[in-house]
Structure formats: C-alpha cells, structure tokens
Amino acid sequence: MATAKVASTIAASQLSCKPSHEVLIGDALPSDAAAIALIGASTFTAAFGFSVPADDLADFLAATYSAEAVEAEILGAQKTSTSTLVARDESGEVLGFVQLVRGLSDPCLPGDASAHAELRRLYVSTAAHGRGIGSRLVAAVEGKARAEGFETLWLTVWEENASAQRLYQRLGYVRMGETEFATGGCIQTDYVLAKNNW
C-alpha cells in the first residue's frame, strides 16, 4: 500500500514536471507586434540574409519587420485584407505567425483570381522548431480561407529554400510557376505553389 502511494506520488510529480507543449492559434493583437517583428526579422535574416546585400537587408527589415510596421499591419487588417494569425504557448508567448492575404493572385494560377488567397510569411521561432507549429499555422490559414469561400490558396517560396519547399509539398502544395521577389535592389526567384479543391 505504501509502495503504491509512493509510486503514484512519484508518477504525479513526474507528470507535473513535464513541460507543457500546448499551442494555441489565434488572431494577432497589436500587443503581439514586437514579438512578431523579432521572429520575422531573425528568421528572414537566418534564411536569406547571406544572399542579400547588407543595405538592402537592413532597409527591408526596417520596412517590413519593425514593431511599428507590424503593428500598423495588424491595425490596418480590414483595409489591407490581411489577417495575421499567431501561435502562442500556454503562457501567451508568440512562437510563430502566418498571414492570409485576400484579393491577390499570380498570373501562373488558373481559374478565377477572385477565388484565390495568398498564404504569406510563415515564420516560427527557431526555439520552437520541430513541434509542428508551422503545419498548424498552415492548417489554420487553410481553414480560414476555406470558410471564406476561397478555392485556391497559394504562396511563394525561395527557390533555394529546400526545407520550406518540402514542408509545403508534404502539405499538398504543388509548384505552379515562378515569380520574382525583390529585397531592395536584389531580385531573387521564388517558386509559386498552390493548393486547391481542398
């Protein structure tokens, strides 16, 4: 009896010491802007910084991933038809983010452009890699796009970002064509991937 009690106490203490990995997906708030900016800037720099001139990179990060720019984007969501979703841990810390952009298409995509929406800026903090957060953010954007009646969700991914390409292909995205991505004066090639008919 005493042994069983000790065993159950040890089991309970081991359970309570296990780290929790609960992740919640929801709409970004203006108060999330600094965390989103930090994740965006650090992830973009790690993935692409080596391939872009330093001045172009600095200008791009200031325009796109300053806390002020991110906050303005969140506050102007209705005007820009852009929704930003975040993944948070149980303490509320932002672990990653993604955007759904309505009203945009690409010439390589067939069908009615008004039925297309873009999945943009999928970034997860390096400390949270390997937990399936990127896949969950994609699923959340897909659910939102589907609920709003979009038939095609598309995205761009750098031609040299093989790991991101593998993720999107695993999630059912198919390469449709190519487009250019400008970071200042530096022009690079992105692949256009799309998923439709859900």
Side-chain angles (χ1 to χ4, degrees), residues 22-111:
E22 183 179 2
V23 175
L24 305 171
I25 310 288
D27 291 326
L29 305 171
S31 57
D32 295 324
I36 292 170
L38 179 62
I39 293 169
S42 62
T43 306
F44 188 93
T45 301
F48 313 111
F50 70 92
S51 68
V52 178
D55 289 347
D56 287 341
L57 178 63
D59 291 345
F60 177 83
L61 294 177
T64 309
Y65 291 121
S66 68
E68 295 78 16
V70 172
E71 183 177 13
E73 199 166 42
I74 293 169
L75 291 171
Q78 288 183 332
K79 203 179 298 180
T80 61
S81 299
T82 301
S83 294
T84 303
L85 303 178
V86 294
R88 294 185 180 86
D89 67 12
E90 61 278 2
S91 73
E93 180 183 352
V94 175
L95 304 174
F97 70 97
V98 67
Q99 293 180 321
L100 174 65
V101 184
R102 302 156 187 87
L104 286 181
S105 188
D106 188 88
C108 72
L109 299 174

Side-chain angles (χ1 to χ4, degrees), residues 14 20 53 111 116 122 137 167 184 186:
Q14 288 171 340
S20 172
H116 302 167
L122 173 64
L137 284 165
L167 168 68
C186 181

Side-chain angles (χ1 to χ4, degrees), residues 1 39 49 52 62 90 105 138 142 156 158 171 184 188 191 198:
M1 180 105 144
I39 293 169
V52 178
E90 61 278 2
S105 188
V138 170
E142 290 178 350
T156 63
W158 187 32
L171 296 175
Q188 297 180 329
Y191 295 147
W198 308 109

Side-chain angles (χ1 to χ4, degrees), residues 156-171:
T156 63
V157 59
W158 187 32
E159 64 179 343
E160 295 185 29
N161 192 343
S163 61
Q165 291 172 40
R166 284 193 298 271
L167 168 68
Y168 294 128
Q169 288 165 357
R170 184 170 52 79
L171 296 175

